[in-house]
Amino acid sequence: MNRTYRCLNCTEHTVSRPFDTSHLSKHCPVCDSFERLVNDAVFEQFRTFEESPPESLSWSKLERQEKLLISEQVTRKGRSVEDFSIEA
Ligand SMILES: [Zn+2]
């Protein structure tokens, strides 16, 4: 089964690969640079959290990288967002 990976820089470019991993590092033809392409399932979860932030976290205060990491843990590791508590 193919998975979609999305460029984190432009969020426009996607590639399809026949394996499932958290991300790829690849040249993006849209950005014309070497970028991280994240599993689109993770990115979808990230977007869901952006639209309705989890109550257990100060979502808006997190760095984008932290948000993506939590999205990945929830999507791919089956963790609950309540497992994450960010120290203020
Ligand atoms: Zn790009």
Side-chain angles (χ1 to χ4, degrees):
M1 180 180 171
N2 280 359
R3 301 287 172 168
T4 301
Y5 297 89
R6 182 176 300 274
C7 175
L8 276 179
N9 192 40
C10 62
T11 69
E12 282 179 24
H13 180 61
T14 58
V15 296
S16 189
R17 290 288 180 271
F19 52 82
D20 184 23
T21 187
S22 62
H23 66 272
L24 310 170
S25 292
K26 200 177 173 304
H27 176 261
C28 172
V30 178
C31 304
D32 195 25
S33 61
F34 200 72
E35 297 294 343
R36 173 174 281 210
L37 276 63
V38 71
N39 191 309
D40 208 33
V42 173
F43 194 73
E44 280 298 318
Q45 182 64 65
F46 169 77
R47 272 204 291 233
T48 301
F49 283 150
E50 288 283 85
E51 284 170 17
S52 58
E55 288 178 8
S56 57
L57 293 174
S58 303
W59 184 258
S60 60
K61 292 182 183 159
L62 299 180
E63 300 287 336
R64 190 174 187 236
Q65 198 55 44
E66 293 175 307
K67 293 177 177 179
L68 284 162
L69 187 71
I70 291 171
S71 300
E72 187 205 329
Q73 292 280 312
V74 169
T75 307
R76 297 178 49 77
K77 312 286 184 195
R79 294 184 67 181
S80 164
V81 72
E82 277 83 35
D83 291 351
F84 299 92
S85 61
I86 307 296
E87 299 300 323

